[in-house]
Amino acid sequence: MPATLSRQLFLVWVLILAGCVGMAGLLFAAWQQSGSMQLAQARQTLDTDCASLVARYNGASADARSESLANGLANVVVQLVLADQDGIEGGVWDNRTGFVAYAYPTYQGSGSKSDVPDAERSNLVTTAAAALSRHETVGYTRSGKRESLLIAACPIDAYRAGWTMTHLAHAPGRSSGLFAAAAGVLLALALASAGALGAIMRRWSRRFAAVEHALANSDAIPDLPRTGAPELDRLGETVVGYATRLAESHREAATLATHLSRHERLASLGRMTATVAHEIRNPIATLRLAAENALAITPEALSPTTHASLDLMLAQVGKLDALVETLLRMVQPVRVERTEVNIAGWARRVLAELDDRQTAVALRVGDGASTWSLDPAQMERAVDNLLRNALRHRAAGSIVNWSIETTDGRLVMIVANVGEPMSQEVRDHLFEPFATDRIDGNGLGLALVRDIVEAHNGTVGHAWHDGQTAFRVELPWR
């Protein structure tokens, strides 16, 4: 089971707590070791002072150590040895007469202290007697809750033993204060880390809850709130970006499905139209032949009304034939045979096909549009449709502008005229077959233009601005 964020943070806190407990244990051990070291140092000092006391006493002359002067010598020696030893008192004990010397030069109380402490007499006697019986330095230690008593006794001769004594306080001192401070810091660290991790967990839980709520209540592109956490906000931006791209893909898929359905209908209509057009070509040819024969064989026998009717029939049959021809071309793929064409000469030939209406067209060929690779016949059909369409819809007395130039490696032709805009319905299906707002139009011209331009790997578009309609054709070199 994957670990949740709260579980991971809890494990992190457990590791921090374990580290703090370990550090506290090490500090406690160090503090205890510090107390033991203090006892050892105090013991060493007492032993050294006791040995110094014996050495000085035995270093005096024999006369000074005589029975009558021995006690006075002992007092002087003890006073000299302990003069600089803070908190240490000492003396000499005789197993025959008891305590014969005592001194506490560094006593901190009022006055001077000259009496052996009654509370420690028995301990002093026992330790001194043990030193005399063992003929070696003997130590005594008694640890209490508040202080430790340390005694050292050294044999001077067969009857006398020197001793030193000190009280080592257990009251909180510098080392215990440092230990308490360190333990407090570790405890505070453990508690602070727990509080910080808990706050982080609560804050992230609220942020995740806000993002989760926004995602759960969004039908399309979610509106994720800013959380203030850069990592989570970047993740939210990525999710929104993905949702946006997904929505765009869905829209594009729906649009493509609509276009595909329309194209399938148009393809079916095209196949049906081609079949119908093919089937009616023979009847149309028969009608034309009959009308032409009637006009040619007996023109003098025809009344003016009959003659006019036959002329009208031929005109209408011609329109039907042109429509059928256009329909058949629409359902056939456009085959392009490219060749390098002199654009200026080709454009003049296209205008010449307009007969007397070419004077209403203003041609402008840019300097860069000298030669281009295209199918001159197919492109002439496309441009002829655009020019005739512009001439048909131009405002009275205006001219049609046809410009040819090169831009970014593409041949650009623009056919523009001043006139009323097309309806929105026609613009939506402008380059589809049968899209027209003319009563006498069939809506096939612009569809043919699109097919020819796309066969050249080009594009064709329409725009209306400031009362002017413009068709723009762009062709690549290949």
Side-chain angles (χ1 to χ4, degrees):
M1 178 179 179
T4 61
L5 178 61
S6 58
R7 182 177 298 178
Q8 294 179 31
L9 291 177
F10 177 73
L11 291 177
V12 171
W13 181 76
V14 168
L15 291 176
I16 294 175
L17 181 62
C20 291
V21 171
M23 288 296 296
L26 292 175
L27 287 173
F28 182 71
W31 179 69
Q32 282 189 323
Q33 186 176 6
S34 170
S36 300
M37 290 179 63
Q38 286 181 342
L39 286 173
Q41 289 175 355
R43 169 61 59 195
Q44 183 178 3
T45 300
L46 289 178
D47 290 346
T48 301
D49 290 343
C50 186
S52 178
L53 186 153
V54 172
R56 287 207 176 194
Y57 183 88
N58 290 331
S61 63
D63 294 338
R65 288 185 283 113
S66 64
E67 194 69 29
S68 60
L69 300 176
N71 293 343
L73 175 63
N75 276 304
V76 171
V77 169
V78 172
Q79 188 73 33
L80 289 174
V81 170
L82 301 181
D84 297 325
Q85 302 298 327
D86 289 338
I88 298 178
E89 52 191 312
V92 177
W93 177 76
D94 191 316
N95 61 4
R96 295 166 300 179
T97 59
F99 293 98
V100 296
Y102 173 78
Y104 192 175
T106 58
Y107 177 63
Q108 299 295 324
S110 60
S112 60
K113 193 171 185 301
S114 58
D115 297 327
V116 176
D118 293 334
E120 313 303 341
R121 278 180 175 270
S122 61
N123 294 323
L124 290 171
V125 170
T126 301
T127 305
L132 288 176
S133 63
R134 297 179 188 178
H135 304 289
E136 64 180 4
T137 302
V138 176
Y140 171 79
T141 302
R142 185 188 68 201
S143 296
K145 292 183 178 180
R146 302 185 64 180
E147 65 179 10
S148 293
L149 172 67
L150 285 83
I151 299 175
C154 307
I156 297 175
D157 53 28
Y159 306 104
R160 295 182 181 85
W163 60 269
T164 53
M165 180 178 67
T166 187
H167 293 79
L168 190 63
H170 289 175
R174 183 179 180 186
S175 60
S176 59
L178 290 175
F179 170 72
V185 169
L186 291 175
L187 177 62
L189 176 61
L191 295 177
S193 62
L197 292 175
I200 292 173
M201 188 63 235
R202 288 193 299 273
R203 184 164 59 251
W204 276 87
S205 296
R206 289 195 299 268
R207 291 169 175 173
F208 275 119
V211 173
E212 183 179 11
H213 181 269
L215 290 174
N217 292 275
S218 175
D219 295 330
I221 301 176
D223 183 15
L224 299 183
R226 304 292 293 183
T227 63
E231 298 85 356
L232 192 57
D233 287 340
R234 286 198 300 270
L235 178 61
E237 291 171 358
T238 303
V239 171
V240 171
Y242 174 78
T244 302
R245 293 192 300 272
L246 184 62
E248 291 176 353
S249 299
H250 287 168
R251 286 194 296 269
E252 291 177 359
T255 302
L256 290 175
T258 302
H259 289 170
L260 179 60
S261 176
R262 181 182 300 137
H263 290 164
E264 289 177 348
R265 291 196 303 271
L266 290 175
S268 299
L269 179 61
R271 288 191 295 269
M272 182 189 70
T273 302
T275 302
V276 172
H278 182 74
E279 292 298 326
I280 66 174
R281 292 186 77 180
N282 290 335
I284 290 175
T286 302
L287 288 174
R288 176 186 284 125
L289 182 61
E292 289 176 347
N293 288 338
L295 288 173
I297 295 174
T298 58
E300 66 281 351
L302 298 176
S303 65
T305 302
T306 303
H307 197 283
S309 297
L310 290 173
D311 288 337
L312 179 59
M313 180 186 296
L314 284 174
Q316 296 302 318
V317 167
K319 288 184 179 182
L320 283 174
D321 191 45
L323 177 58
V324 168
E325 184 66 24
T326 302
L327 288 172
L328 290 175
R329 288 181 178 178
M330 283 294 300
V331 297
Q332 295 175 354
V334 178
R335 293 182 174 83
V336 174
E337 295 181 1
R338 290 178 178 266
T339 183
E340 289 193 19
V341 177
N342 181 284
I343 296 300
W346 171 79
R348 286 192 293 270
R349 288 194 300 272
V350 173
L351 289 180
E353 293 295 326
L354 298 176
D355 301 327
D356 58 334
R357 288 185 295 177
Q358 63 180 297
T359 58
V361 178
L363 173 64
R364 182 178 66 82
V365 180
D367 295 336
S370 56
T371 59
W372 206 259
S373 175
L374 51 81
D375 187 322
Q378 293 285 17
M379 193 52 62
E380 180 179 342
R381 291 173 59 200
V383 174
D384 183 72
N385 269 288
L386 293 177
L387 291 173
R388 291 180 185 276
N389 194 59
L391 289 168
R392 188 178 299 111
H393 292 88
R394 66 189 173 112
S398 65
I399 61 173
V400 173
N401 292 297
W402 179 21
S403 64
I404 306 175
E405 57 188 10
T406 56
T407 302
D408 297 331
R410 299 173 72 86
L411 183 70
V412 179
M413 293 186 288
I414 299 177
V415 177
N417 67 277
V418 176
E420 293 296 324
M422 288 176 281
S423 65
Q424 184 63 47
E425 181 180 359
V426 173
R427 286 202 300 271
D428 291 341
H429 307 281
L430 188 59
F431 294 99
E432 296 178 6
F434 313 114
T436 182
D437 55 358
R438 287 170 45 214
I439 297 177
D440 60 340
N442 53 42
L444 298 175
L446 291 179
L448 180 63
V449 170
R450 181 201 60 192
D451 291 344
I452 293 174
V453 172
E454 290 181 352
H456 283 78
N457 297 323
T459 59
V460 59
H462 162 269
W464 187 85
H465 182 68
D466 290 339
Q468 182 170 271
T469 298
F471 285 87
R472 180 186 180 96
V473 175
E474 293 190 16
L475 302 177
W477 175 259
R478 288 292 182 189

